[in-house]
C-alpha cells in the first residue's frame, strides 16, 4: 500500500469520529500495552542487534517509559478529555464558556535512533491518547528496532488508524511532502530545520525535539562524590548517545583536579569495557569515525581507546579544554566528556547565556544562591540540580527544548495537549439581549461600553 493511500485512509477514518470515543482510545492503548509486554524478548533482541543495548537498559530507559505513558493515559484520559468550564466575562453575559480538547486529525511522528522505542512510541502514544490517527516513521539507522515496531504494530492495528512506515531518507522526504495535521520530530537540529521547512509548506504545526550542548556545572559547594557518580552514570549511559546527557562539564578551579580523579574512579568502578552489558556500542561507523576525530591526544586525561570492529569507544575525559576546541563546536553525542575550569560562577553563567539555548542544563551545589541564579538566569529546556537526566522520569514535568534545542513539549498531560486543539465555546442565552452593541451608535452607548469593557 502506498503511503499516500494510507494517509488518505487515515483522514477518512478520522472523519468517522471513532477516535474521539474514549473507550475506543483506551481499547487500543490496552492492546498496545499487551503487545509490548508479550513481545519484550523480541524488542530486546532487536535493539541488541542494533547497538548492543542490554535487557536492563532496554527496560529501564525504553520500555518502562512507554508502559508508564500508557498507564498514565489509561488512568487520566477521562479527565484530560473533559471540557473545562471557564469564567464568562461581563460583555458576554448571559452565557457559559468552556474549552473542549479535540484531536487534530492525522499526525506524523518521526522517531530517533538513540532511544528508538521510547522516542518513537511515547509521542505516538500521546497522539493516540488525544484521539488522532498516526503515521509512525521510526529511524532507519536503528534498522532492527524499526522492523520490530513495524511488525508488531502493522500486524495488530488497522492501518487507517495506526501505521508504521519503514524506510530511510527517501521515504521520509516523501512523507514530508504530504499534508498532516501535526508533525512530531525527534532528532538533530540540522534535520529539524528540514522538517520545519517542509511543514511550513502546508502550515502544519510541529513539535521539534532537538538537542544541543547541555552543560553540567560543579561548584566547590557540591557533594563531589555524588556529583561525580551521577555525572559518570548520566554521561556514559547509552555510550553518551543521549540528547540530554551532559555534553560538557564546567568545574570550579579549586576542586578541578580532585574532581577529575573522582570521575576517573567511577568510570573504572562502573566497568565500561568493550563487552560490558552496561555499555552500548556506537550506532554505526559514520558516528564512530566522527567521535574518534573529536579526541585530541594532547588533552586526553582518561580513556580514549577504541575498537573499530566492535564500534567501541572507551569513556573518555578531556582536560584543559577551551571554548575554541573542535569538541566544543557541536553536540558530541558520544562517550567523550570535555572539562573546562572556571573561577567565577556568575561569569560562567553569562558565558553559557551567550551560547545557543541547550535542551538540558545541570548544576551540582549545596549553595542556595547558586541554585537560584542557575534557575533564574539560564534558559534551557529542562534540567536538574544535583542530578542529571532524571527529570525525564517525572511525567508531571514537560519535556522539550527552547530556541535552537526545540519547539514544544510532551510527557504526561503535555503530550496530550501537544496533539490536541483547545476549542473555545461560548454558549449564549437567547433572552435578556441588550441593544448597546447594535447600530445606530451613540455617545451614550460608547460611554456604557467603556465602563463595561
Amino acid at each position: 500500500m502506498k503511503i499516500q493511500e494510507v494517509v488518505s485512509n487515515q483522514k477518512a477514518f478520522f472523519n468517522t469520529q471513532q477516535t474521539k470515543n474514549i473507550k475506543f482510545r483506551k481499547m487500543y492503548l490496552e492492546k498496545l500495552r499487551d503487545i509490548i509486554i508479550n513481545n519484550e524478548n523480541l524488542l530486546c533482541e532487536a535493539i541488541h542487534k542494533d547497538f548492543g543495548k542490554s535487557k536492563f537498559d532496554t527496560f529501564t530507559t525504553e520500555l518502562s517509559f512507554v508502559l508508564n505513558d500508557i498507564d498514565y493515559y489509561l488512568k487520566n484520559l477521562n479527565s484530560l478529555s473533559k471540557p473545562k468550564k471557564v469564567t464568562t466575562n461581563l460583555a458576554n453575559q448571559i452565557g457559559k464558556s468552556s474549552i473542549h480538547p479535540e484531536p487534530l486529525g492525522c499526525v506524523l511522528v518521526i522517531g530517533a535512533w538513540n532511544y528508538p522505542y521510547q522516542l518513537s512510541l511515547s509521542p505516538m502514544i500521546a497522539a493516540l491518547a488525544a484521539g488522532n490517527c498516526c503515521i509512525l516513521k521510526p529511524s532507519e539507522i536503528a534498522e532492527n528496532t524499526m522492523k520490530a515496531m513495524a511488525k508488531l504494530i502493522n500486524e495488530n492495528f488497522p492501518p487507517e488508524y495506526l501505521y508504521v512506515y519503514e524506510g530511510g531518507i527517501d521515504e521520509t522526504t516523501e512523507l514530508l511532502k504530504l499534508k498532516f495535521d501535526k508533525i512530531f520530530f525527534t532528532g538533530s537540529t540540522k534535520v529539524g530545520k528540514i522538517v520545519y521547512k517542509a511543514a511550513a509548506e502546508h502550515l502544519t504545526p510541529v513539535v521539534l525535539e532537538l538537542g544541543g550542548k547541555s552543560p553540567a556545572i560543579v561548584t566547590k559547594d557540591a557533594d563531589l562524590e555524588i556529583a561525580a557518580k551521577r555525572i559518570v552514570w548520566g554521561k556514559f549511559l547509552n555510550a553518551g548517545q543521549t540528547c540530554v546527557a551532559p555534553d560538557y562539564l564546567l568545574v570550579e578551579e579549586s576542586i578541578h583536579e580532585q574532581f577529575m580523579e573522582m570521575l576517573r574512579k567511577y568510570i573504572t568502578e562502573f566497568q565500561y569495557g568493550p563487552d560490558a552489558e552496561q555499555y552500548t556500542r556506537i550506532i554505526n561507523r559514520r558516528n564512530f569515525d566522527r567521535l574518534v576525530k573529536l579526541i585530541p591526544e594532547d588533552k586526553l586525561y582518561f580513556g580514549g581507546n577504541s575498537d573499530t570492529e566492535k564500534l567501541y569507544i572507551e569513556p573518555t575525559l578531556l582536560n584543559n579544554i577551551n571554548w575554541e576546541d573542535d569538541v566544543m563546536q557541536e553536540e558530541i553525542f558520544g562517550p567523550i566528556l570535555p572539562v573546562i575550569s572556571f573561577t567565577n560562577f556568575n561569569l560562567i553563567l553569562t558565558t553559557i547565556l551567550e551560547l545557543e539555548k541547550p535542551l538540558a542544563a545541570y548544576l551540582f551545589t549545596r549553595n542556595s544562591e547558586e541554585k537560584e541564579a542557575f534557575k533564574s538566569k539560564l534558559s534551557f529546556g529542562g534540567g536538574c540540580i544535583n542530578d542529571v537526566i532524571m527529570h525525564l522520569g517525572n511525567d508531571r514535568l514537560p519535556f522539550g527544548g527552547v530556541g535552537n534545542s526545540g519547539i514544544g513539549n510532551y510527557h504526561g498531560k503535555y503530550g496530550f495537549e501537544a496533539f490536541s486543539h483547545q476549542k473555545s465555546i461560548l454558549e449564549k442565552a437567547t433572552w435578556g439581549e441588550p441593544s448597546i452593541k447594535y447600530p445606530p451608535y451613540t455617545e451614550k452607548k460608547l460611554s456604557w461600553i467603556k465602563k463595561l469593557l
Side-chain angles (χ1 to χ4, degrees), residues 349-408:
L349 293 185
T350 301
T351 302
I352 296 170
L353 274 172
E354 293 171 354
L355 306 173
E356 295 285 3
K357 295 176 182 179
L359 182 58
Y362 307 107
L363 171 66
F364 287 84
T365 186
R366 287 172 290 196
N367 184 306
S368 58
E369 291 182 2
E370 291 174 345
K371 292 177 184 179
E372 287 306 312
F374 172 80
K375 289 187 287 185
S376 64
K377 290 184 179 180
L378 292 188
S379 179
F380 51 89
C384 305
I385 295 175
N386 294 322
D387 207 345
V388 297
I389 296 180
M390 292 302 294
H391 59 295
L392 269 68
N394 185 351
D395 58 22
R396 292 172 179 82
L397 290 173
F399 172 66
V402 59
N404 215 52
S405 59
I407 299 170

Side-chain angles (χ1 to χ4, degrees), residues 33 36-37 59 63-72:
R33 180 188 60 194
I36 292 170
I37 292 171
F59 183 79
L63 301 184
S64 68
F65 278 82
V66 173
L67 294 172
N68 285 339
D69 283 341
I70 294 174
D71 288 342
Y72 172 86

Side-chain angles (χ1 to χ4, degrees), residues 384-435:
C384 305
I385 295 175
N386 294 322
D387 207 345
V388 297
I389 296 180
M390 292 302 294
H391 59 295
L392 269 68
N394 185 351
D395 58 22
R396 292 172 179 82
L397 290 173
F399 172 66
V402 59
N404 215 52
S405 59
I407 299 170
N409 50 52
Y410 70 122
H411 286 188
K413 75 168 186 174
Y414 304 99
F416 181 90
E417 291 171 354
F419 289 101
S420 300
H421 168 62
Q422 306 301 317
K423 183 166 64 179
S424 302
I425 300 291
L426 171 67
E427 183 179 348
K428 293 287 290 286
T430 57
W431 56 275
E433 176 77 339
S435 62

Side-chain angles (χ1 to χ4, degrees), residues 10-140:
Q10 287 202 354
K11 291 181 178 181
F13 182 70
F14 178 77
N15 287 336
T16 67
Q17 308 290 311
Q18 292 182 61
T19 66
K20 292 183 178 180
N21 184 286
I22 302 300
K23 289 183 179 179
F24 176 92
R25 302 185 211 179
K26 287 185 176 181
M27 176 184 71
Y28 277 111
L29 288 174
E30 289 169 348
K31 184 173 185 177
L32 179 62
R33 180 188 60 194
D34 293 343
I35 289 169
I36 292 170
I37 292 171
N38 293 334
N39 290 277
E40 183 176 342
N41 287 337
L42 183 152
L43 294 169
C44 287
E45 289 170 6
I47 202 168
H48 190 269
K49 288 178 183 177
D50 281 329
F51 55 113
K53 201 168 201 175
S54 68
K55 284 187 176 182
F56 185 95
D57 278 342
T58 299
F59 183 79
T60 57
T61 69
E62 303 260 13
L63 301 184
S64 68
F65 278 82
V66 173
L67 294 172
N68 285 339
D69 283 341
I70 294 174
D71 288 342
Y72 172 86
Y73 290 121
L74 289 174
K75 181 179 179 182
N76 295 284
L77 198 49
N78 286 10
S79 60
L80 289 169
S81 304
K82 189 177 180 181
K84 313 296 190 295
K85 293 181 180 179
V86 296
T87 302
T88 302
N89 63 335
L90 186 60
N92 279 306
Q93 296 295 350
I94 300 169
K96 297 184 294 183
S97 300
S98 56
I99 301 170
H100 298 246
E102 66 173 10
L104 296 170
C106 176
V107 304
L108 169 64
V109 172
I110 304 175
W113 58 262
N114 57 321
Y115 290 88
Y117 297 135
Q118 182 197 151
L119 299 181
S120 295
L121 298 179
S122 283
M124 181 199 81
I125 288 164
L128 299 182
N132 299 281
C133 298
C134 184
I135 302 287
L136 173 61
K137 172 60 185 70
S139 172
E140 74 283 0

